[in-house]
Amino acid sequence: MTTLTDRPHSALLVIDVQNGVVAGAPRRDEVIARIGALVERARAGSVPVIWVQHSDDGELKEGSEAWQYVPELARGEQEPLVHKRYGDSFEATDLEALLAERGVGRLVVTGAQSDVCIRSTLHGGFVRGYDVTLVGDAHTTEDLSAYGAPAPEQVIEHTNLYWGFQSAPGRTAGTVSAADVTF
């Protein structure tokens, strides 16, 4: 149970599913389809969907084609969009305020990249007192093996594995498949 006792609700976070982020990601289409299905389930259950969009001074320059969200996913008119410049979606953003306004104490996390923004946001939420669930088959990452990282599928599996074993007083963490997500 979250340490944020006045926040009984869940929210779905869709992190950085942008053209330039997922262009070469493994299982890109499958992951995006699962995220789309989760977005629809959340909307049907009146669960907040919060979109996160990364920008930087390089490839993800704000307004560029690479910076745009993939066309397969459409943000609802009333769904907030959080702009960020750091891996952790909480850093220097209004994410915490948006979650507080909605009484959210549990995060369901999807998106990209597994080893950067997903991992940072998982930990960022957890240390801030949120229960944090990673959707194991609804996140992906690019191939950074040329820089010494493991292959993308290994990164994804490792992220799923270690997040399933996180624990801290008063909070829960875990990894579930998209089919098993409950809001």
Side-chain angles (χ1 to χ4, degrees):
M1 169 130 324
T2 177
T3 61
L4 307 169
T5 56
D6 59 339
R7 299 190 192 181
H9 304 295
S10 297
L12 176 65
L13 295 185
V14 182
I15 300 172
D16 301 349
V17 190
Q18 297 162 252
N19 292 322
V21 177
V22 299
R27 301 186 337 254
R28 176 205 180 276
D29 294 344
E30 294 172 39
V31 168
I32 290 171
R34 283 189 193 98
I35 293 170
L38 286 166
V39 167
E40 292 307 316
R41 283 179 42 208
R43 288 173 178 159
S46 298
V47 172
V49 178
I50 300 178
W51 303 79
V52 179
Q53 188 172 29
H54 191 84
S55 65
D56 59 32
D57 295 328
E59 180 184 337
L60 295 178
K61 187 170 177 68
E62 192 168 333
S64 70
E65 180 62 26
W67 174 81
Q68 300 296 327
Y69 246 79
V70 297
E72 298 94 326
L73 297 175
R75 184 172 62 92
E77 189 175 302
Q78 300 300 317
E79 295 168 346
L81 175 62
V82 174
H83 292 281
K84 70 177 181 68
R85 294 188 60 86
Y86 301 98
D88 181 351
S89 298
F90 288 92
E91 284 298 327
T93 71
D94 61 349
L95 179 57
E96 169 58 27
L98 291 167
L99 296 170
E101 287 171 8
R102 290 158 177 78
V104 171
R106 178 174 173 257
L107 307 176
V108 177
V109 178
T110 66
Q113 296 201 78
S114 306
D115 45 346
V116 186
C117 298
I118 295 297
R119 187 172 180 163
S120 296
T121 300
L122 291 169
H123 288 284
F126 200 59
V127 300
R128 287 172 174 87
Y130 291 88
D131 292 333
V132 184
T133 300
L134 172 63
V135 185
D137 55 357
H139 68 96
T140 191
T141 193
E142 70 180 316
D143 187 350
L144 297 174
S145 58
Y147 303 98
E153 292 291 350
Q154 290 176 313
V155 170
I156 293 163
E157 290 305 318
H158 181 255
T159 303
N160 290 342
L161 173 70
Y162 87 77
W163 197 252
F165 291 99
Q166 296 298 307
S167 63
R171 287 157 281 169
T172 62
T175 304
V176 300
S177 68
D180 294 331
V181 168
T182 58
F183 294 109

